[in-house]
């Protein structure tokens, strides 16, 4: 039980296919007590239903990451429910659908700011909110990113820039929060068929291409992302911070 006695917050569960849910299952399996968030009442029931399948009862709280007051209330409520927080998992990204196809040069100012706000700034805001609860006993913050931050992936466009900003944020946060024994890392996951991924034009081709080219000759299993997050959340990774680990069957190392 790698996470016995540890408390975690998981943001970004939309349904049972969400990467956040695979991570939650891995953390819970190793004894973590988890809280979840949902954005708007539409997803509340789905999150409650999934969280209800875990052995320990979970606080379920609203949080639209574009609203400062919701982030503030989230950590107030979490402080009351948990006292200390040891793990925060950020699995949140959004860009308007029309920005995820065609040419990046056509990106609108509004689409750019939305993608950056929801997908990158949110990590800073959440880390700030978590800091007083995490500094008590140390903690681990984990964010989900994608290769489109480093290399051009057609149609990923504005989200590639948002992920680049997120990855840079991981390093700056790791520097700021390291003295408080709060580690900050990222997982760059290979493509997985989720709600958010289906918003990217040509996503099915992306999956097939990945399967063909990756050294392991397959797509990544969502449970493998969960296990990598478990490693980053636990003391097994206590010397690692500011790092982005690829969990992509090796796809990112291939040049041709
Ligand atoms: P998902 O199940 O659709 O999860 C995305 C989550 O982000 C949803 O719960 C969504 O809630 C939430 N979200 C969007 N805007 C929000 C806001 N303003 N406030 C709070 N939550 C908000 O898709 P996923 O693929 O698992 O995505 C999780 C993370 O993994 C994302 O950061 C994604 O970029 C990353 N990732 C995914 C892949 C992949 O191939 N799937 C690969 C690498 C990295 P709503 O449904 O309410 O909008």
């Amino acid at each position: 039980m790698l996470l016995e006695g540890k408390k975690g917050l998981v943001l970004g569960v939309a349904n049972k296919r969400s990467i956040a849910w695979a991570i939650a299952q891995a953390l819970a399996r190793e004894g973590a007590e988890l809280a979840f968030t949902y954005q708007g009442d539409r997803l509340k029931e789905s999150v409650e239903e999934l969280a209800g399948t875990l052995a320990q009862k979970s606080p379920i709280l609203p949080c639209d990451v574009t609203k400062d007051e919701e982030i503030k209330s989230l950590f107030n409520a979490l402080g009351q429910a948990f006292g200390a927080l040891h793990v925060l998992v950020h699995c949140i990204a959004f860009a308007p659908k029309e920005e995820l196809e065609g040419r990046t040069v056509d990106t609108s100012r509004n689409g750019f700011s939305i993608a950056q706000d929801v997908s990158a700034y949110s990590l800073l805001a959440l880390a700030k909110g978590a800091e007083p609860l995490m500094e008590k006993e140390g903690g681990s913050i984990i964010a989900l990113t994608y290769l489109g931050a480093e290399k051009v992936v057609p149609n990923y466009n504005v989200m590639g820039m948002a992920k680049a900003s997120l990855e840079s944020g991981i390093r700056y946060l790791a520097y700021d929060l390291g003295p408080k024994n709060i580690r900050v890392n990222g997982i760059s996951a290979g493509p997985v068929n989720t709600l958010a991924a289906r918003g990217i034009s040509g996503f099915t081709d992306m999956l097939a291409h990945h399967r063909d080219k990756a050294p392991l000759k397959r797509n990544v299993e969502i449970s493998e992302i969960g296990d990598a997050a478990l490693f980053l959340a636990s003391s097994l990774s206590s010397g690692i911070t500011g790092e982005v680990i690829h969990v992509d069957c090796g796809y990112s190392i291939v040049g041709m």
Side-chain angles (χ1 to χ4, degrees), residues 7-9 75 78 83-89 126-142 177 180-184 233:
K7 320 247 189 226
L9 170 66
F75 288 104
L78 216 55
L85 184 69
H86 305 98
V87 181
L88 185 151
V89 184
L126 290 166
K128 191 170 166 67
E131 186 179 0
L133 298 178
M134 276 196 164
E135 68 188 353
K136 296 180 179 170
E137 298 172 14
S140 171
I141 297 177
I142 300 154
L177 300 177
K180 297 189 168 175
N181 197 24
I182 299 172
R183 299 183 293 112
V184 189

Side-chain angles (χ1 to χ4, degrees), residues 61-75:
L61 303 157
C63 184
D64 176 339
V65 294
T66 62
K67 299 192 171 129
D68 288 336
E69 62 286 3
E70 289 200 15
I71 294 179
K72 198 168 164 210
S73 314
L74 167 67
F75 288 104

Side-chain angles (χ1 to χ4, degrees), residues 223-246:
S223 61
E224 294 173 319
I225 303 170
D227 288 344
L230 169 63
F231 165 71
L232 288 174
S234 77
S235 59
L236 292 179
S237 61
S238 56
I240 301 177
T241 194
E243 201 64 66
V244 174
I245 299 181
H246 293 90

Side-chain angles (χ1 to χ4, degrees), residues 18-256:
S18 294
I19 292 175
W21 179 239
I23 293 176
Q25 286 175 294
L27 303 185
R29 191 180 76 221
E30 292 294 327
E33 196 178 330
L34 299 177
F36 294 91
T37 61
Y38 59 90
Q39 185 210 178
D41 286 338
R42 191 172 49 87
L43 285 183
K44 186 176 178 196
E45 230 172 86
S46 157
V47 177
E48 278 173 349
E49 209 172 291
L50 287 170
T53 64
L54 299 177
Q56 311 211 49
K57 195 168 157 28
S58 307
I60 297 170
L61 303 157
C63 184
D64 176 339
V65 294
T66 62
K67 299 192 171 129
D68 288 336
E69 62 286 3
E70 289 200 15
I71 294 179
K72 198 168 164 210
S73 314
L74 167 67
F75 288 104
N76 282 340
L78 216 55
Q80 282 171 15
F82 278 175
L85 184 69
H86 305 98
V87 181
L88 185 151
V89 184
H90 176 287
C91 294
I92 289 173
F94 178 78
K97 190 164 172 33
E98 64 275 15
E99 307 287 2
L100 298 172
E101 59 189 5
R103 302 191 321 155
T104 303
V105 74
D106 295 325
T107 302
S108 71
R109 190 183 296 274
N110 190 42
F112 184 88
S113 347
I114 292 174
Q116 290 282 341
D117 187 17
V118 177
S119 319
Y121 177 74
S122 59
L123 183 69
L124 307 188
L126 290 166
K128 191 170 166 67
E131 186 179 0
L133 298 178
M134 276 196 164
E135 68 188 353
K136 296 180 179 170
E137 298 172 14
S140 171
I141 297 177
I142 300 154
L144 263 291
T145 181
Y146 176 61
L147 183 69
E150 306 162 59
K151 300 272 161 71
V152 173
V153 176
N155 297 320
Y156 202 64
N157 302 7
V158 71
M159 189 54 78
M161 288 178 280
K163 290 299 194 191
S165 170
L166 177 78
E167 291 186 10
S168 179
I170 286 170
R171 292 184 283 273
Y172 277 91
L173 285 172
Y175 180 81
D176 280 355
L177 300 177
K180 297 189 168 175
N181 197 24
I182 299 172
R183 299 183 293 112
V184 189
N185 292 290
I187 293 176
S188 183
V192 178
N193 199 353
T194 63
L195 203 61
R198 283 198 291 273
I200 303 160
S201 178
F203 179 73
T204 315
D205 295 340
M206 205 189 267
L207 273 176
H209 178 76
H210 194 275
R211 222 169 19 239
D212 274 4
K213 299 285 176 213
L216 295 182
K217 295 292 168 214
R218 60 176 177 84
N219 288 123
V220 70
E221 298 284 337
I222 199 165
S223 61
E224 294 173 319
I225 303 170
D227 288 344
L230 169 63
F231 165 71
L232 288 174
S234 77
S235 59
L236 292 179
S237 61
S238 56
I240 301 177
T241 194
E243 201 64 66
V244 174
I245 299 181
H246 293 90
V247 182
D248 64 352
C249 297
Y251 180 87
S252 56
I253 64 158
V254 177
M256 205 176 122

